[in-house]
Amino acid sequence: MPDLTFAVEGAAPVPFAAAPTLAFTLRITNLQQCERIQNVLLTCQLQIETPRRRYTPEEQRRLGDLFGEPARWSQTLRTMLWTHATVTVPPFDGAASVELLVPCTFDFNVAATKYFHGLEGGEVPVDLLFSGTVFFADADGQLQMTRIPWTKEARYRLPVAVWKEMMNLYYPNHVWLCLERDAFDQLADYKRSRSLPKWEQAIEELISIGAQTAKLSS
């Protein structure tokens, strides 16, 4: 019976994909060397282990939307689900390397996007939990099938610079913000009424007005 182990050897942005994508290089080893792996249908759940790193005061400020005041982080800082990914592993004997493609988003309604964007540097502790189906040939050459238990996992410290490099590759000097339709309609009306050519100008004007109002009221 195959006994697979997993390790992450690295991660890098994938250029020219349909959406921002990271490629994690997985090293898969079968401890039962006598069995030939015919195919693996591999599923991976990626989790961000937020308590396993330290945060600068600026990072704490920027992550306030997610975790609240730093004084409460001992209660609010918990492992966060990032995403799911799948890959089909081709036949191999003993060990093989394969790229696990992980689609990412720059939507700031997604908690993982807020988290990555709030970090200045360093590394993000990621836990990869594996499951799926293994097809293999036994000692008599007969095709067999078995499941990968959820106890199979691998840990990797993803450099924040890699995530930022990927987003800069796909959205240089841009971010995506999803608005409710009513809020968008009001912003669009304001932009038209002021004859502003860019959305950024409308938002900057409103921020300036808000800052002046707050200053006068104080």
Side-chain angles (χ1 to χ4, degrees):
M1 190 73 66
D3 184 7
L4 303 184
T5 63
F6 302 87
V8 180
E9 296 183 324
V14 178
F16 312 120
T21 304
L22 285 176
F24 287 78
T25 302
L26 297 180
R27 183 68 174 175
I28 305 173
T29 303
N30 182 18
L31 300 181
Q32 302 298 329
Q33 298 289 329
C34 61
E35 296 166 338
R36 175 170 174 77
I37 303 299
Q38 301 290 351
N39 187 267
V40 182
L41 304 179
L42 188 64
T43 299
C44 179
Q45 180 186 101
L46 293 91
Q47 298 181 347
I48 300 172
E49 298 184 294
T50 59
R52 292 185 53 230
R53 64 159 283 163
R54 294 183 177 181
Y55 301 88
T56 67
E58 176 60 19
E59 288 175 336
Q60 291 176 345
R61 183 189 68 82
R62 297 174 66 174
L63 294 173
D65 284 350
L66 286 177
F67 307 121
E69 293 297 323
R72 299 184 57 246
W73 280 25
S74 61
Q75 299 174 336
T76 60
L77 209 61
R78 295 289 183 268
T79 296
M80 174 192 304
L81 174 64
W82 178 6
T83 189
H84 294 82
T86 60
V87 63
T88 300
V89 183
F92 69 91
D93 292 306
S97 293
V98 65
E99 286 193 342
L100 177 70
L101 300 183
V102 178
C104 302
T105 178
F106 217 9
D107 183 352
F108 278 80
N109 287 320
V110 177
T113 300
K114 289 183 180 180
Y115 180 79
F116 278 107
H117 185 72
L119 301 179
E120 296 180 299
E123 298 173 331
V124 175
V126 180
D127 192 11
L128 295 87
L129 307 176
F130 298 101
S131 65
T133 305
V134 182
F135 298 89
F136 66 100
D138 61 18
D140 297 326
Q142 299 297 314
L143 183 63
Q144 304 291 329
M145 179 185 72
T146 187
R147 295 287 298 173
I148 299 173
W150 271 108
T151 53
K152 297 295 184 178
E153 62 182 294
R155 283 180 167 176
Y156 180 68
R157 300 190 70 87
L158 174 68
V160 175
V162 171
W163 188 88
K164 292 182 180 293
E165 177 189 352
M166 173 190 63
M167 288 306 177
N168 287 333
L169 179 66
Y170 283 85
Y171 305 118
N173 198 33
H174 286 77
V175 297
W176 288 99
L177 183 63
C178 182
L179 300 176
E180 292 186 358
R181 188 177 299 276
D182 289 345
F184 173 80
D185 289 342
Q186 292 180 61
L187 181 61
D189 287 342
Y190 180 83
K191 178 176 176 290
R192 283 192 295 268
S193 70
R194 302 287 292 173
S195 300
L196 300 173
K198 294 184 178 181
W199 294 102
E200 291 87 350
Q201 292 173 298
I203 294 173
E204 287 169 357
E205 275 199 9
L206 290 171
I207 291 174
S208 178
I209 292 171
Q212 293 175 12
T213 302
K215 186 176 180 180
L216 291 173
S217 62
S218 62

